[in-house]
Amino acid sequence: MKNHFTLLIVLAITYFSCSNIISAQLRNENYTASINGKIIIDSPNHNIQVKSENGSFWCTFDIGAVTDEYRELSNFRLYKEGRFLFGLSKVPGSDLEISNSGYVIFYDHKKHFLGELKIHAYSVSGNHLFTKSFFNADQFEFSESGNIFGIVDKHNLNIINIPMSAAYSYEKCEKFALDNAGYIVVLNNNELKIYRNDRLLNSIKLECSYIRKIIISSENNLIALINKRNFITYKLSDGRKSFSKQLKGNLSFRDIKILDAKIIVGIHKKTKNESIGILREYDISGKLVDERFGESKLIDQHEKAFVQKTNKYEYDPIPWPFFPFDSMRTVWNHYEQQMGNDGGEWSYLHQGLDLIVPIAEETYSVTEGIVKLVLTLGGGAYWRIAVSDSLVDDYSNGWLYAHLIENTIQFDIGDTVYIHDYLGDIIQWSEDWGHIHFVEIRDSGLVWLYDDNEWGINFNPMLALTPLPDTTAPYIDTVFTNSKFGFCENETSNYLSPDSLYGEVDIICKVVDYAGNSEWQQPAFKTYYWVINTATGDTIQPRQLGHVLNHSYPFYSGDHYTPFSEVMYKRDPILAASSWMSTERNYYHILTNSNGDSLIDLNERYLAFNTENYLDGYYVIFIEVFDEAGNSALDSMSVQFKNGNSTGIKNENLVSEYSLAQNYPNPFNPTTKIKFTIPQLDPIDGGANNGILYVTLKIYDTLGKEVMTVVDEQMRPGENEIEIYAGNLASGVYYYQLQAGNPSAGTGHGFIDSKKMIVLK
């Protein structure tokens, strides 16, 4: 690495000036412990919104418009010990931190749906120093001097010399610590590595796991770390253990600092009815020299509420995460709701459920489990905790509770949580309310991170929250003044008049729903459509599922949510996505971007309703929409197909032959897929109703006994793929048989074929 000599000089100068401030504050006993043992500066000024760790610098700002993960901040004002330093009318980010030397890091989460975090650094005099982008960042730390900043992203530990605007990369790590003299400690796989000037000096094998924090002091020749029960120190020079302390019972270590040749440890004392912070002060040799109580909070005890064992969606029911647990809260942002900006140039799918609650509302666990995640995505407003359902190193599921106040979070990695346990308080999000981002996620390991491409989301939380007292039915709004529904050429912005539909058409409807008493408009949970020939009364397009807002995604990232948004919703300059804070929103569902199953695939955006397959004339399109509670709305409109197809001449691109493919995979357990095709037939060949045929797909055992009916319905011509779940079938050989039309009437009137499949468990 370059410029390390200059870096050390800058650090040394800043360190000596800052250490005097710190020691003076310690003697004045301005330090205290929050209710969870976090070491904080006790400040009588309640207007302060963010302050440096040493308390010398602090700021105020206003909160304007907000979206799910972004806040517009304005009128930022930075102070040092009450003296105004500089201000910004518009803040380049939605949160910030201030170092002990007055540098300000603004966290810009505007492109959070892409996993991108921009940091904008400003000097104490208000000069913009640099802007840097990171992806999937989840660890942040200043050095004690405040001149060095570290951030872990998906690739590296990035160390930034703030005054020099110089960045250096180290190995990605689980935890890290920075020293004023340029030492860096990284933790991976229970091993500490000590670097200086890009050179590995030493390594230490640890005897404990679930490390909560590490600190390093070259001045005191010391490395110290804590986990839940242990506080251990090592000599920086040779890695030998210096001393250790242990806790038991209802005490746990939560924070640690080195201040003026003293080690300050924050301890959390948690009883059934109270959460208390404790400060202990040790000298460098490990002698306890002071202990005092910090902040405390009484915890209300709540008996386990009754929750029904099953519901119609077959998810384990959970209570609401606030007391009273059977009370529905204000739904702000829906699962897989389309989010966009005012300009309409981008959109993404919302990655969970957002509930509006009062600021500092107490949050409670909806299940029991093991804590596997406590981290921030950048700034005090982005702290979160996740409780997994099992203590396994493999993949597991767990509920995520985001936007908690760090100093109130009651648990840490490895802790056991029970249903209705108090987790922490909700952070301020807007000027007068807070919100929780709530969703079940999936990750692997005993510790979950955001930087490892494994943080997936599982399902719509509204399908598990109990009760769901929503009696308000959705309604289908008008897309255009002259058209109830919208129609455009497939994947274009060429909108068609309903009396002149031609070619492959996307069918669009605008849905408005309200969840309970919420004033915020929501999208439809589930959509269906079908088409009827007005002249004959024939159903040319059977009732087909558009989309159901309950898809799972393997990673919490815009790599999934941005492209999939364009499958489910129309967004262009004509039909723009909703703006941030409007209670009236635009949800333009594309019903035809679906193959009819409940899954979603990016290739489905190219699907459409092909009007060329049918005679010119008048048709009626029906659309039905549902919310999670089962409330529904049905609407329809008349349209006219105009393709110059008045004689019923077949489209040459249609499937012309029957086929039944071998299932894949085979053998399988428990699911497999079967593909088959139904050709377009003229009425004289048995293709009544424009080729609609009655189709069955059944499974038989080796004795010829029918064990499952997979398909039993009228189907349109085309290619089909069916997924079969055979979890209830025993291992063995089975046969699946496809029958379409009436094969007994002779060649050309139908089709029948069978193939063998093997269930192997």
Side-chain angles (χ1 to χ4, degrees), residues 373-392:
L373 179 152
V374 179
L375 55 79
T376 177
L377 301 186
Y382 292 85
W383 279 93
R384 56 205 61 210
I385 183 173
V387 181
S388 170
D389 57 14
S390 55
L391 184 62
V392 295

Side-chain angles (χ1 to χ4, degrees), residues 686-713:
N689 297 339
N690 280 306
I692 302 297
L693 291 177
Y694 179 68
V695 178
T696 62
L697 178 62
K698 299 182 179 182
I699 299 177
Y700 300 87
D701 62 19
T702 54
L703 299 178
K705 179 183 177 182
E706 181 183 328
V707 296
M708 184 185 301
T709 297
V710 181
V711 176
D712 185 6
E713 62 183 88

Side-chain angles (χ1 to χ4, degrees), residues 27-251:
R27 286 192 295 270
N28 292 332
E29 296 188 343
N30 283 345
Y31 279 94
T32 187
S34 66
I35 65 169
N36 67 353
K38 174 74 175 177
I39 301 171
I40 59 175
I41 291 288
D42 189 12
S43 173
N45 187 346
H46 298 293
N47 294 322
I48 293 176
Q49 287 165 295
V50 177
K51 56 191 172 187
S52 60
E53 285 192 353
N54 61 14
S56 293
F57 299 89
W58 51 272
C59 73
T60 61
F61 53 79
D62 297 328
I63 303 175
V66 298
T67 185
D68 59 328
E69 293 291 332
Y70 190 78
R71 309 182 298 174
E72 284 189 341
L73 307 183
S74 61
N75 300 323
F76 169 83
R77 296 176 67 83
L78 180 68
Y79 299 85
K80 180 180 181 182
E81 298 172 351
R83 179 171 58 88
F84 174 72
L85 297 177
F86 80 91
L88 295 173
S89 59
K90 185 176 181 180
V91 175
S94 56
D95 210 341
L96 63 105
E97 286 189 284
I98 307 171
S99 81
N100 284 341
S101 53
Y103 289 107
V104 182
I105 296 291
F106 292 105
Y107 294 105
D108 185 349
H109 290 269
K110 187 170 292 184
K111 294 294 181 69
H112 67 91
F113 57 93
L114 297 175
E116 180 182 11
L117 174 68
K118 286 185 178 180
I119 63 169
H120 308 276
Y122 281 73
S123 71
V124 71
S125 58
N127 293 321
H128 175 247
L129 301 176
F130 60 83
T131 294
K132 297 182 183 295
S133 290
F134 301 92
F135 288 87
N136 307 122
D138 61 6
Q139 290 188 64
F140 313 85
E141 193 78 40
F142 284 111
S143 65
E144 196 65 46
S145 69
N147 281 10
I148 304 297
F149 181 70
I151 178 171
V152 177
D153 65 5
K154 66 189 299 183
H155 299 298
N156 304 295
L157 163 60
N158 305 276
I159 304 299
I160 304 173
N161 181 325
I162 300 176
M164 295 173 59
S165 302
Y168 313 96
S169 296
Y170 288 83
E171 62 182 297
K172 184 179 171 181
C173 57
E174 300 165 11
K175 295 284 184 182
F176 71 95
L178 308 173
D179 175 68
N180 300 317
Y183 287 90
I184 297 170
V185 176
V186 300
L187 170 67
N188 274 317
N189 301 317
N190 277 10
E191 182 181 26
L192 290 179
K193 292 183 179 179
I194 301 100
Y195 293 90
R196 192 183 190 195
N197 296 344
D198 201 27
R199 186 167 66 92
L200 178 63
L201 302 180
N202 201 355
S203 62
I204 303 172
K205 279 289 186 180
L206 303 182
E207 300 174 357
C208 55
S209 57
Y210 295 127
I211 303 303
R212 295 184 170 183
K213 189 167 184 179
I214 308 166
I215 56 173
I216 181 172
S217 171
S218 57
E219 182 185 20
N220 295 292
N221 189 28
L222 180 73
I223 298 174
L225 57 85
I226 55 171
N227 70 358
K228 182 175 183 176
R229 299 297 190 189
N230 298 281
F231 159 37
I232 307 173
T233 64
Y234 301 88
K235 296 291 185 183
L236 175 61
S237 56
D238 56 19
R240 289 184 302 161
K241 183 186 290 188
S242 179
F243 68 87
S244 63
K245 305 291 180 181
Q246 286 76 40
L247 295 176
K248 58 183 179 180
N250 56 12
L251 299 178

